[in-house]
């Protein structure tokens, strides 16, 4: 069995979003949900405890 290395993730803000969560842009991600809702977004928990919904393409290594 191959060991799994932890991956550092970051959340990037997309300016076209109109839900006023831009102040959280670029914050590191503690947890990313695996199941997308009907709009294609997953739940993220940022390292400061803030919960946001984001599209998978907004979560990048970093």
């Amino acid at each position: 069995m191959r060991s799994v290395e932890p991956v550092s993730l970051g959340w990037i803000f997309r300016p076209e979003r109109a839900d006023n969560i831009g102040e959280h842009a670029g914050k590191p991600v503690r947890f990313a949900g695996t199941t997308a809702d009907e709009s294609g977004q997953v739940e993220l928990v940022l390292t400061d405890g803030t919960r946001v919904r984001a599209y998978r393409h907004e979560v990048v290594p970093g």
Side-chain angles (χ1 to χ4, degrees):
M1 180 180 275
R2 204 172 100 186
S3 66
V4 177
E5 294 294 322
V7 175
S8 176
L9 298 174
W11 175 64
I12 56 171
F13 174 66
R14 299 289 184 200
E16 65 271 12
R17 298 209 21 202
D19 47 8
N20 298 321
I21 55 177
E23 70 270 11
H24 301 296
K27 290 186 178 177
V29 175
R30 177 182 298 156
F31 170 80
T34 57
T35 306
D37 63 14
E38 60 279 345
S39 68
Q41 295 181 327
V42 294
E43 181 177 33
L44 300 180
V45 179
L46 305 178
T47 55
D48 65 1
T50 303
R51 293 177 179 264
V52 296
R53 303 223 38 102
Y55 295 102
R56 288 182 178 163
H57 64 271
E58 294 179 320
V59 182
V60 296

